Amino acid sequence: MRFLAFSTRNRKELLRDPISLIFGIGLPVLLLLVISLIERSVSGMAEIFSIENFAPGIAMFSLSFIALFSGMLLANDRSSSFLARLFASPLAASDYLLGYSLPLLPIALVQSAVCFITAFFLGLSVSVNVLLTILVLIPVAILFIGIGLLLGSIFSNKQVSPICSIVVQVAALSSGMWFDLHQIGGAFKAVCYALPFAHAVDLAKITLAGGGFTAIYPHLLWVAGYAAVIFALAVRAFKKRMKA
Amino acid sequence: MLNAVEVNNLTKRFKGRTAVDSLNFSIKKGEFFALLGQNGAGKTTTIRLLCCLLTPTSGDAVLLGDSIIENPTAVKQKLNVSPQETAVAPNLSVKENLELIAAIYGSNKQEAEVKANKMLTALGLSERARDKAKTLSGGMQRRLSIAMALISDPQIIFLDEPTIGLDVRARRELWKLIRELKGKITIILTTHYLEEAEALADKIGIMHYGKIRMLGSLDQIKEATGQKTLEDAFFMLTEKEVE
Ligand SMILES: Nc1ncnc2c1ncn2[C@@H]1O[C@H](COP(=O)(O)OP(=O)(O)O)[C@@H](O)[C@H]1O
Ligand SMILES: [Mg+2]
């Protein structure tokens, strides 16, 4: 249970330096507000910008900032000798990765909740599907935690934040939240659906619309598969760092 | 078992450069050992090897009966280290930093708090207990770093250049504190300050280009080199080789 002490420390570290948290929660909400207000005043906007379609996209976008949180936390610890000191302790690699991941899960839940509560004010109907959507977004959050840990294990603290910004951009652009991938089709669609982010948004959209397990299952599998592979890579990269 | 540390042909090579070159020495239980050498001599690399933070290229070391290669987890439980760069969690308070390390070494919440309070008093940090570590002065951070190394009740403690960059007064105060540990646990300290090794150590190893050039008490080193001061002996031993 040593990882619990470490995870408590990470929770404090994240919450006591909350600028990036505020940014990661605030920016998506702002986008949701702006786009929804535009959608109301301009007629003929694409269907993807209706609140039932756009809110799930924003929820995924919001979670993508978690890669930045976990990546920066780890890379900053690596840049100081603090982590070297812990590497001399009996903590195992799994203790570290659990310790970094756990405090981010409640933050992810708050992000999703804030996103959907904002959406309620913009006309999203209140239903149990929203709760289910927040649940199925948990694997998406785990995916982004893993991406951050992988990048934070490989890159320095100066490199991590620009690289994570790229991840956030790629996630948004390939997710289908800004344009309908099925209309574009072709190679672009194929690439987007090879990546996990469009699946993450579809997963959330379908759940929000009340789709059952058979409908979400392929998307869930795709996201979970990516999360598992990326976590495995993160463990490897981190172990390598432990024994330089 | 009399020896806390037994080092056998310990070697570490980084891409062509041999940072630690077949070291052989032993440190008795309760002894205060100083590894003295200029920047780049290989002191930190030696410490990192002994703390299982680096895998040796060849050779081994046995710490209180456990090999750093075969049983690093057992070794890690017995030692603690205050790294060369100050290593504290910046956004945690002084007390939280201490409790964190205690918990990581296996204390439960209550035990961790008791130990933290003990350390705060022992190291004169009580007044700053609630302040965030990042607000402390350099000397105080170093003090906290040492307290964090002590809180796990290690049998062997490594202090890597504990007074580097401190002003004279802060250094004196740290010396006093380190001296109080003498005899209670095995201490391995690295330094490039001659007077620090002279003031504190029972046994000094003079390290140069990855090798230990001379090993012994202050008097033994002076006698063997025929020099009157440690400084003269140090220069005599480290002068010649230029690589
Ligand atoms: N990770 C590393 N990769 C390559 N060279 C290294 C590494 N760590 C240390 N060295 C080299 O090993 C030598 C000894 O370094 P170090 O042990 O830090 O010396 P000291 O602590 O005595 O100043 C130096 O020449 C240093 O450049
Ligand atoms: Mg050094």
Side-chain angles (χ1 to χ4, degrees), chain B residues 43-44 84 160-161:
Chain B
K43 306 181 295 295
T44 297
Q84 179 165 348
D160 195 3
E161 308 249 15

Side-chain angles (χ1 to χ4, degrees), chain B residues 27-218:
Chain B
I27 302 168
K28 289 200 191 74
K29 271 189 192 163
E31 201 164 41
F32 194 133
F33 181 76
L35 209 47
L36 176 65
Q38 62 200 32
N39 279 336
K43 306 181 295 295
T44 297
T45 307
T46 307
I47 300 281
R48 289 169 60 81
L49 288 166
L50 295 179
C51 293
C52 314
L53 293 172
L54 280 177
T55 316
T57 312
S58 60
D60 193 2
V62 177
L63 275 73
L64 297 163
D66 285 303
S67 150
I68 57 168
I69 294 172
E70 266 141 46
N71 212 347
T73 315
V75 171
K76 284 177 171 184
Q77 188 65 41
K78 292 186 261 197
L79 62 82
N80 208 329
V81 57
S82 170
Q84 179 165 348
E85 291 93 31
T86 309
V88 299
N91 280 321
L92 293 192
S93 73
V94 169
K95 191 174 172 196
E96 284 170 340
N97 264 291
L98 290 166
E99 287 171 340
L100 168 67
I101 301 296
I104 280 175
Y105 280 83
S107 294
N108 66 32
K109 219 170 162 182
Q110 288 77 23
E111 289 165 358
E113 190 175 359
V114 170
K115 284 185 178 178
N117 284 330
K118 220 174 87 188
M119 276 299 144
L120 288 169
T121 318
L123 278 90
L125 287 161
S126 300
E127 274 177 31
R128 307 297 302 270
R130 287 156 170 274
D131 297 345
K132 282 190 185 172
K134 66 179 175 193
T135 67
L136 299 183
S137 68
M140 285 303 239
Q141 285 197 2
R142 213 58 72 77
R143 200 171 267 254
L144 172 59
S145 189
I146 294 174
M148 286 160 77
L150 282 169
I151 198 162
S152 64
D153 294 320
Q155 291 167 269
I156 304 174
I157 189 171
F158 293 90
L159 305 172
D160 195 3
E161 308 249 15
T163 69
I164 196 171
L166 296 187
D167 61 46
V168 183
R169 184 176 305 279
R171 170 169 306 146
R172 278 292 147 101
E173 282 172 5
L174 262 191
W175 280 3
K176 203 173 130 212
L177 192 152
I178 293 170
R179 222 181 256 124
E180 280 164 17
L181 302 174
K182 248 180 122 146
K184 294 179 193 144
I185 55 179
T186 310
I187 306 171
I188 294 150
L189 169 144
T190 75
T191 183
H192 66 269
Y193 299 113
L194 292 149
E195 68 275 19
E196 186 158 301
E198 205 161 0
L200 298 172
D202 303 318
K203 191 162 160 189
I204 299 170
I206 295 181
M207 196 167 187
H208 196 51
Y209 285 114
K211 285 201 164 78
I212 291 205
R213 299 286 150 131
M214 174 79 53
L215 193 77
S217 68
L218 188 58

Side-chain angles (χ1 to χ4, degrees), chain A residues 2-21:
Chain A
R2 292 160 193 241
F3 72 88
L4 282 179
F6 185 56
S7 103
T8 305
R9 175 267 171 180
N10 292 328
R11 192 192 70 227
K12 289 176 182 162
E13 198 75 33
L14 283 164
L15 296 179
R16 286 176 190 181
D17 224 350
I19 295 164
S20 61
L21 285 188

Side-chain angles (χ1 to χ4, degrees), chain A residues 51-188:
Chain A
I51 193 75
E52 316 78 53
N53 288 329
F54 197 59
I58 285 289
M60 188 287 303
F61 178 64
S62 185
L63 292 179
S64 71
F65 283 86
I66 294 221
L68 182 71
F69 305 155
S70 65
M72 282 306 289
L73 184 61
L74 172 52
N76 279 335
D77 280 352
R78 275 184 44 224
S79 76
S80 81
S81 293
F82 179 68
L83 211 51
R85 139 169 271 142
L86 297 188
F87 284 169
S89 80
L91 284 185
S94 55
D95 291 325
Y96 291 99
L97 295 176
L98 270 174
Y100 281 121
S101 304
L102 278 185
L104 286 162
L105 284 178
I107 292 175
L109 289 175
V110 168
Q111 283 179 296
S112 299
V114 167
C115 171
F116 285 109
I117 289 168
T118 312
F120 290 150
F121 285 105
L122 295 167
L124 184 71
S125 44
V126 180
S127 77
V128 69
N129 290 341
V130 173
L131 279 182
L132 291 176
T133 308
I134 291 178
L135 279 184
V136 300
L137 280 169
I138 290 175
V140 178
I142 293 174
L143 168 68
F144 284 114
I145 293 172
I147 293 175
L149 293 179
L150 177 61
L151 297 175
S153 299
I154 296 172
F155 297 103
S156 77
N157 61 337
K158 296 222 169 61
Q159 298 163 326
V160 161
S161 108
I163 292 173
C164 285
S165 307
I166 295 173
V167 170
V168 170
Q169 303 288 345
V170 169
L173 289 177
S174 70
S175 70
M177 68 184 281
W178 293 114
F179 25 76
D180 191 341
L181 295 176
H182 300 284
Q183 256 172 35
I184 296 177
F188 186 77

